[in-house]
Amino acid sequence: RSRIACLRGDAGDMASPRLQLGRETIAGAVYAITAVSAGRRALFADADAAEAIVEEIRLARRKGLADSLAWAVMPDHLHWMFELHGPSLGQVVGRVKSCSARRINALAGSDGGLWQPGYYDHRLRDDEDLAVQAHYILANPVRRGLAAEVGSYPYAWCRYPL
Protein backbone atom coordinates (compact mmCIF):
# COMPACT_ATOMS: atom_id res chain seq x y z
CA ARG A 1 0.00 0.00 0.00
CA SER A 2 1.26 3.39 -0.86
CA ARG A 3 1.63 6.57 1.12
CA ILE A 4 -1.13 7.95 -1.11
CA ALA A 5 -3.49 5.32 0.32
CA CYS A 6 -2.90 6.75 3.80
CA LEU A 7 -3.62 10.27 2.62
CA ARG A 8 -6.78 9.20 0.80
CA GLY A 9 -7.88 6.97 3.66
CA ASP A 10 -8.34 3.74 1.68
CA ALA A 11 -5.68 1.57 3.31
CA GLY A 12 -7.13 -1.79 4.36
CA ASP A 13 -6.26 -4.47 6.86
CA MET A 14 -5.46 -8.06 6.05
CA ALA A 15 -6.95 -9.82 9.06
CA SER A 16 -6.59 -13.53 9.54
CA PRO A 17 -9.66 -15.46 8.36
CA ARG A 18 -10.36 -16.71 11.90
CA LEU A 19 -10.60 -13.14 13.19
CA GLN A 20 -13.06 -12.27 10.43
CA LEU A 21 -15.56 -15.06 11.25
CA GLY A 22 -18.82 -13.46 12.30
CA ARG A 23 -17.46 -9.95 11.86
CA GLU A 24 -19.95 -7.51 10.45
CA THR A 25 -19.67 -3.82 9.84
CA ILE A 26 -22.53 -1.68 11.02
CA ALA A 27 -22.32 2.06 10.45
CA GLY A 28 -23.20 3.89 13.65
CA ALA A 29 -22.29 0.92 15.85
CA VAL A 30 -19.74 1.24 18.62
CA TYR A 31 -16.71 -1.03 18.49
CA ALA A 32 -13.86 -1.67 20.90
CA ILE A 33 -10.76 -3.01 19.16
CA THR A 34 -7.39 -4.23 20.31
CA ALA A 35 -4.48 -4.25 17.86
CA VAL A 36 -1.13 -5.72 18.89
CA SER A 37 2.42 -4.86 17.82
CA ALA A 38 4.42 -7.39 15.83
CA GLY A 39 5.99 -9.86 18.23
CA ARG A 40 4.38 -7.97 21.12
CA ARG A 41 7.45 -5.75 21.12
CA ALA A 42 7.19 -2.47 23.06
CA LEU A 43 7.35 -0.48 19.83
CA PHE A 44 4.92 2.18 21.03
CA ALA A 45 6.71 2.97 24.31
CA ASP A 46 8.54 5.65 22.33
CA ALA A 47 6.71 8.99 22.65
CA ASP A 48 6.97 9.77 18.91
CA ALA A 49 5.55 6.36 18.01
CA ALA A 50 2.65 6.75 20.44
CA GLU A 51 1.95 10.25 19.09
CA ALA A 52 1.90 8.90 15.52
CA ILE A 53 -0.84 6.44 16.47
CA VAL A 54 -2.79 9.13 18.31
CA GLU A 55 -2.58 11.41 15.27
CA GLU A 56 -3.97 8.67 13.01
CA ILE A 57 -6.88 8.11 15.41
CA ARG A 58 -7.60 11.85 15.37
CA LEU A 59 -7.29 11.91 11.59
CA ALA A 60 -9.90 9.13 11.35
CA ARG A 61 -12.32 11.49 13.10
CA ARG A 62 -11.44 14.47 10.91
CA LYS A 63 -12.01 12.31 7.82
CA GLY A 64 -15.43 11.26 9.15
CA LEU A 65 -14.46 7.59 9.51
CA ALA A 66 -14.96 7.18 13.26
CA ASP A 67 -15.78 9.16 16.40
CA SER A 68 -13.52 8.10 19.24
CA LEU A 69 -14.98 7.39 22.65
CA ALA A 70 -11.73 6.23 24.26
CA TRP A 71 -8.24 5.02 23.38
CA ALA A 72 -5.05 3.92 25.08
CA VAL A 73 -1.78 3.45 23.23
CA MET A 74 0.08 0.88 25.31
CA PRO A 75 3.74 -0.04 24.72
CA ASP A 76 2.81 -3.14 22.71
CA HIS A 77 -0.85 -2.68 21.75
CA LEU A 78 -3.68 -0.26 21.11
CA HIS A 79 -7.15 -0.18 22.67
CA TRP A 80 -9.59 1.99 20.74
CA MET A 81 -13.33 2.40 21.23
CA PHE A 82 -15.23 4.33 18.59
CA GLU A 83 -18.47 4.82 16.73
CA LEU A 84 -17.95 3.61 13.18
CA HIS A 85 -18.98 5.84 10.29
CA GLY A 86 -17.35 3.98 7.44
CA PRO A 87 -16.42 2.67 5.03
CA SER A 88 -15.97 -0.61 6.97
CA LEU A 89 -14.52 -1.72 10.28
CA GLY A 90 -11.59 -3.44 8.57
CA GLN A 91 -10.80 -0.44 6.41
CA VAL A 92 -10.89 2.04 9.29
CA VAL A 93 -8.74 -0.08 11.61
CA GLY A 94 -6.47 -1.04 8.73
CA ARG A 95 -5.98 2.60 7.80
CA VAL A 96 -4.98 3.56 11.34
CA LYS A 97 -2.58 0.63 11.60
CA SER A 98 -1.06 1.05 8.15
CA CYS A 99 -0.68 4.81 8.24
CA SER A 100 0.66 4.87 11.81
CA ALA A 101 3.24 2.25 10.78
CA ARG A 102 4.31 4.47 7.88
CA ARG A 103 4.67 7.46 10.22
CA ILE A 104 6.62 5.48 12.81
CA ASN A 105 8.87 3.89 10.19
CA ALA A 106 9.56 7.32 8.68
CA LEU A 107 10.54 8.66 12.11
CA ALA A 108 12.85 5.70 12.72
CA GLY A 109 14.26 5.63 9.19
CA SER A 110 13.16 2.03 8.79
CA ASP A 111 10.46 0.04 7.09
CA GLY A 112 8.50 -3.10 7.75
CA GLY A 113 5.40 -4.21 9.56
CA LEU A 114 4.86 -2.91 13.07
CA TRP A 115 1.50 -4.53 13.75
CA GLN A 116 0.37 -8.13 13.97
CA PRO A 117 -2.06 -8.98 11.17
CA GLY A 118 -5.67 -8.49 12.14
CA TYR A 119 -7.10 -7.26 15.41
CA TYR A 120 -9.65 -8.26 18.02
CA ASP A 121 -12.97 -6.44 17.91
CA HIS A 122 -16.12 -6.31 20.01
CA ARG A 123 -19.29 -4.57 18.89
CA LEU A 124 -20.91 -3.07 21.95
CA ARG A 125 -24.61 -3.76 22.38
CA ASP A 126 -27.16 -1.06 23.03
CA ASP A 127 -27.51 -2.16 26.65
CA GLU A 128 -23.78 -1.93 27.41
CA ASP A 129 -22.70 1.16 29.31
CA LEU A 130 -20.35 3.01 26.96
CA ALA A 131 -18.91 5.21 29.70
CA VAL A 132 -18.00 2.17 31.82
CA GLN A 133 -16.23 0.52 28.88
CA ALA A 134 -14.45 3.77 27.97
CA HIS A 135 -13.27 4.25 31.57
CA TYR A 136 -12.00 0.67 31.58
CA ILE A 137 -9.84 1.49 28.54
CA LEU A 138 -8.65 4.73 30.17
CA ALA A 139 -7.61 2.79 33.30
CA ASN A 140 -5.55 0.23 31.36
CA PRO A 141 -2.24 2.13 31.83
CA VAL A 142 -2.78 2.15 35.62
CA ARG A 143 -3.44 -1.60 35.67
CA ARG A 144 -0.20 -2.12 33.70
CA GLY A 145 1.82 0.12 36.03
CA LEU A 146 2.41 2.84 33.42
CA ALA A 147 0.60 5.57 35.37
CA ALA A 148 -0.16 6.27 39.02
CA GLU A 149 -3.75 7.35 38.48
CA VAL A 150 -6.46 7.20 35.87
CA GLY A 151 -6.24 10.12 33.47
CA SER A 152 -2.53 10.82 33.98
CA TYR A 153 -1.15 8.65 31.16
CA PRO A 154 -0.35 10.91 28.18
CA TYR A 155 -1.37 8.39 25.50
CA ALA A 156 -4.86 7.59 26.75
CA TRP A 157 -8.05 9.57 26.36
CA CYS A 158 -11.74 9.19 27.13
CA ARG A 159 -14.72 11.27 26.01
CA TYR A 160 -16.59 10.68 29.26
CA PRO A 161 -15.58 12.64 32.36
CA LEU A 162 -14.31 10.63 35.33
Side-chain angles (χ1 to χ4, degrees):
R1 294 189 183 92
S2 70
R3 180 173 165 1
I4 301 294
C6 289
L7 298 176
R8 286 194 316 238
D10 59 0
D13 187 43
M14 299 303 292
S16 74
R18 281 185 37 218
L19 285 174
Q20 291 182 353
L21 290 176
R23 180 176 287 163
E24 61 181 337
T25 293
I26 300 173
V30 174
Y31 292 89
I33 67 101
T34 301
V36 180
S37 67
R40 287 213 74 118
R41 294 176 302 178
L43 301 171
F44 316 131
D46 176 77
D48 290 335
E51 286 292 340
I53 296 169
V54 169
E55 183 54 33
E56 287 302 330
I57 289 171
R58 290 178 176 146
L59 188 57
R61 180 186 176 280
R62 291 193 301 269
K63 289 184 166 289
L65 303 174
D67 280 331
S68 293
L69 303 176
W71 44 260
V73 179
M74 305 298 285
D76 64 352
H77 64 282
L78 165 67
H79 294 288
W80 183 26
M81 185 174 131
F82 56 92
E83 181 179 344
L84 179 69
H85 296 301
S88 74
L89 179 61
Q91 289 173 314
V92 170
V93 175
R95 185 197 175 288
V96 167
K97 288 173 59 179
S98 176
C99 295
S100 64
R102 290 188 195 294
R103 284 179 186 248
I104 294 166
N105 279 329
L107 289 168
S110 62
D111 62 2
L114 300 183
W115 296 96
Q116 287 183 8
Y119 54 92
Y120 170 81
D121 68 275
H122 170 71
R123 183 171 54 89
L124 283 84
R125 299 180 310 271
D126 291 338
D127 63 343
E128 291 184 76
D129 189 330
L130 298 182
V132 169
Q133 180 70 25
H135 289 152
Y136 182 83
I137 290 171
L138 187 65
N140 203 337
V142 174
R143 287 190 299 276
R144 290 278 305 267
L146 299 172
E149 60 187 33
V150 175
S152 65
Y153 186 67
Y155 310 111
W157 173 85
C158 176
R159 171 181 290 180
Y160 303 100
L162 293 172

